[in-house]
Amino acid sequence: MFESERRSAVRERVLTLAHDDERVVAAAVVGSLARGEGDRWSDLDLSFGLADGVSRTEVLDEWESALRAEFGAVALFDLPSGAFVYRVLLIPGGLQVDLSVAPASRFGPRGPEFQLLFGDAVHAEEEGVLRSADEMFGYAAHHAVRARVAIERGRMLQAEQWLGGLRAEVVALACRRHGLQDWQARGAHLLPDDAQARLSATLARSLESAELRRALGAAIDALCVEGAEAGIAGAVSDELRRLGAARDPGE
């Protein structure tokens, strides 16, 4: 894995590119490093405001070319999100670099992890729609049904895939309830011990039918707990628990 000095060198190079580029009018560190809570494995996340009318992809293309020549960076993908375009780069040693750019009139924090380095930021409401707990619970219930069907069909890899989707929704619900970041399980390590134990039980240790059924039952139990805490489970909880039983009630 990369050393922190390598990340610092890439950071300084990107910021130099930004300072020397008259099209760039603002810059910020985002992600865990913006809070000073990063560790030696943290990604590098930098965000920039561009003069209105400047092509976002043109700036990213030029910076990618410089980082490829100096650090061997490889572009993984671009992610448009509202006014921002995110370019995700991978540098040898496993260093992920996320560069995001937006017009200056739309540049600002999209969450609490934002440290302005220079220029101005627009403090507008976060773009995008936050998923409701009801929606998260609904998706989780759907995934539970599909996992059970896949088990019954003997499609164990597919069942594990659905089980993973179910677990992700339950983790998100738990994080939301405890006031933690619910995106990509970023707050999961801060969950109380009882919640972490409940979620750990949802991990399938093999693709054997009995183990997948056990993990599915544990995931449904965890989902019902979160649903009850959020006041959204209702009558579906009993049906879900029957679905997660070790054997079909009709067998």
Side-chain angles (χ1 to χ4, degrees):
M1 292 291 289
F2 66 91
E3 298 294 333
S4 57
E5 291 79 6
R6 178 76 160 174
R7 181 178 60 210
S8 296
V10 176
R11 178 184 187 276
E12 292 309 310
R13 181 61 180 128
V14 174
L15 292 179
T16 296
L17 288 170
H19 276 290
D20 294 343
D21 194 328
E22 62 182 12
R23 298 169 296 181
V24 179
V25 297
V29 179
V30 295
S32 60
L33 292 176
R35 301 192 311 263
E37 299 177 2
D39 55 29
R40 68 170 302 270
W41 298 279
S42 295
D43 298 337
L44 177 60
D45 300 293
L46 297 170
S47 189
F48 302 91
L50 306 180
D52 289 344
V54 170
S55 169
R56 296 169 297 176
T57 55
E58 183 177 299
V59 172
L60 289 172
D61 287 345
E62 292 179 16
W63 291 1
E64 176 196 330
S65 178
L67 294 177
R68 181 171 60 249
E70 297 181 41
F71 299 100
V74 176
L76 299 183
F77 57 86
D78 280 7
L79 176 65
S81 179
F84 286 79
V85 173
Y86 294 78
R87 179 159 299 179
V88 179
L89 306 171
L90 185 64
I91 288 178
L95 173 59
Q96 181 178 316
V97 179
D98 299 342
L99 303 178
S100 58
V101 292
S105 60
R106 305 289 297 280
F107 175 74
R110 307 190 75 194
E113 300 173 327
F114 184 92
Q115 178 189 4
L116 187 66
L117 298 177
F118 65 82
D120 299 314
V122 176
H123 294 280
E125 291 185 4
E126 183 175 340
E127 296 181 9
V129 178
L130 187 68
R131 291 199 305 155
S132 68
D134 297 82
E135 181 181 356
M136 294 157 70
F137 186 90
Y139 272 101
H142 169 270
H143 299 343
V145 173
R146 302 322 306 166
R148 178 61 189 269
V149 169
I151 293 172
E152 296 304 323
R153 288 173 171 167
R155 300 175 182 177
M156 301 313 178
L157 281 173
Q158 186 182 60
E160 198 281 332
Q161 182 78 3
W162 283 116
L163 182 59
L166 164 59
R167 183 186 310 110
E169 297 292 353
V170 178
V171 171
L173 281 166
C175 288
R176 178 80 60 85
R177 175 163 67 91
H178 289 281
L180 303 170
Q181 282 192 300
D182 59 65
W183 187 58
Q184 294 184 340
R186 293 191 175 191
H189 63 292
L190 299 174
L191 286 168
D193 290 344
D194 61 334
Q196 292 204 32
R198 190 160 50 243
L199 293 167
S200 294
T202 70
L203 295 168
R205 303 178 183 88
S206 75
L207 293 179
E208 296 296 325
S209 175
E211 175 58 14
L212 287 171
R213 287 174 184 267
R214 182 207 62 77
L216 175 60
I220 288 175
D221 286 343
L223 174 61
C224 290
V225 168
E226 295 306 325
E229 290 289 345
I232 57 177
V236 75
S237 288
D238 290 341
E239 180 61 28
L240 287 171
R241 291 189 187 279
R242 284 192 291 271
L243 190 71
R247 296 181 63 82
D248 191 302
E251 291 181 355

